[in-house]
Amino acid sequence: LDGLQRGQPGAMLALFDRTARSRGDNPFLWRKSDGVYRPWSWPRAAREARLLARATAIRTRSLAFSVAA
């Protein structure tokens, strides 16, 4: 993973962020909306991935807390 430890928390997200920075505003993917294909840029995809990772971490901690209680 070139500088990232396998199994290290956040390694996958860090790798995705690094890739997103290197790709700049190039399209990450295209989605169809109102009959028109519109691009999602790499920075937008990275922001969405970070939000998803945070929400997952919060949900996981919340579940762990409720099980421990």
Side-chain angles (χ1 to χ4, degrees):
L1 292 174
D2 189 30
L4 298 172
Q5 296 285 327
R6 193 177 297 267
Q8 174 185 2
M12 194 66 140
L13 186 58
L15 182 61
F16 190 84
D17 277 340
R18 186 186 321 170
T19 302
R21 281 192 305 275
S22 73
R23 302 288 168 96
D25 286 327
N26 291 316
F28 168 71
L29 60 82
W30 295 82
R31 68 177 185 91
K32 194 172 187 179
S33 177
D34 298 325
V36 177
Y37 284 95
R38 294 189 170 92
W40 263 37
S41 68
W42 277 92
R44 180 178 179 180
R47 282 192 306 273
E48 296 291 332
R50 283 190 299 273
L51 287 171
L52 181 59
R54 280 189 209 119
T56 301
I58 289 167
R59 177 87 173 126
T60 302
R61 282 193 301 266
S62 174
L63 288 174
F65 179 74
S66 66
V67 169

